[in-house]
């Protein structure tokens, strides 16, 4: 078992896949040795976005607060607090913050199998 305080793993950085705007990342699963999944909280600041990228695994974006627009293979959908986007392997995906407040997300996906 690993217990993680998000305050110990927080960093301000440009969002991945294009560095569009700024974000606050809570790299929660980074401190878990031998993990099989990624679990992160990320706040996309006003105007920021995770650029479109092809995913090699299923991935979930869960909205904690704020508003965003998720993109998957050219299709866009609005997301708000309490909504989740389940994205499939091979899709070209991204998400952008919209509105006046940051978009707070939980992002989770499996990692490649480890060779033991």
């Amino acid at each position: 078992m690993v217990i993680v305080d998000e305050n110990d793993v927080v960093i301000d950085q440009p969002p991945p896949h294009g560095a569009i705007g700024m974000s606050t990342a809570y790299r929660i699963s980074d401190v878990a040795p031998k993990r099989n999944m990624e679990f992160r909280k990320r706040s996309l600041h006003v105007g920021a976005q995770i650029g479109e990228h092809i995913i090699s695994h299923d991935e979930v974006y869960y909205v904690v607060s704020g508003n965003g627009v998720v993109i998957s293979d050219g299709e866009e959908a609005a997301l708000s607090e309490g909504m989740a986007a389940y994205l499939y392997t091979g899709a070209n995906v991204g998400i952008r913050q919209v509105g006046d407040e940051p978009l707070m997300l939980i992002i989770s996906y499996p990692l490649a199998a480890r060779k033991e």
Side-chain angles (χ1 to χ4, degrees):
M1 174 170 53
V2 175
I3 305 299
V4 181
D5 182 332
E6 69 179 26
N7 294 310
D8 294 337
V9 294
V10 64
I11 183 171
D12 285 327
Q13 61 184 191
H17 310 292
I20 302 160
M22 280 301 290
S23 72
T24 302
Y26 302 84
R27 302 180 62 92
I28 295 165
S29 57
D30 285 8
V31 298
K34 298 185 179 181
R35 70 188 191 273
N36 290 315
M37 63 176 287
E38 201 65 75
F39 185 90
R40 294 197 175 145
K41 183 169 137 180
R42 184 176 296 273
S43 175
L44 294 176
H45 300 187
V46 173
Q49 62 183 303
I50 296 172
E52 290 183 56
H53 59 288
I54 296 172
I55 55 176
S56 60
H57 43 66
D58 288 5
E59 192 162 307
V60 176
Y61 294 163
Y62 174 79
V63 178
V64 176
S65 62
N67 293 288
V69 174
V70 65
I71 302 137
S72 180
D73 290 335
E75 183 179 341
E76 295 189 359
L79 293 177
S80 58
E81 183 176 329
M83 296 175 76
Y86 193 99
L87 306 164
Y88 292 98
T89 301
N92 188 25
V93 305
I95 189 166
R96 68 180 180 270
Q97 180 279 341
V98 296
D100 297 330
E101 66 177 90
L103 173 61
M104 182 69 73
L105 301 167
I106 299 292
I107 302 167
S108 187
Y109 53 89
L111 295 173
R114 288 191 318 266
K115 294 180 183 176
E116 307 263 353

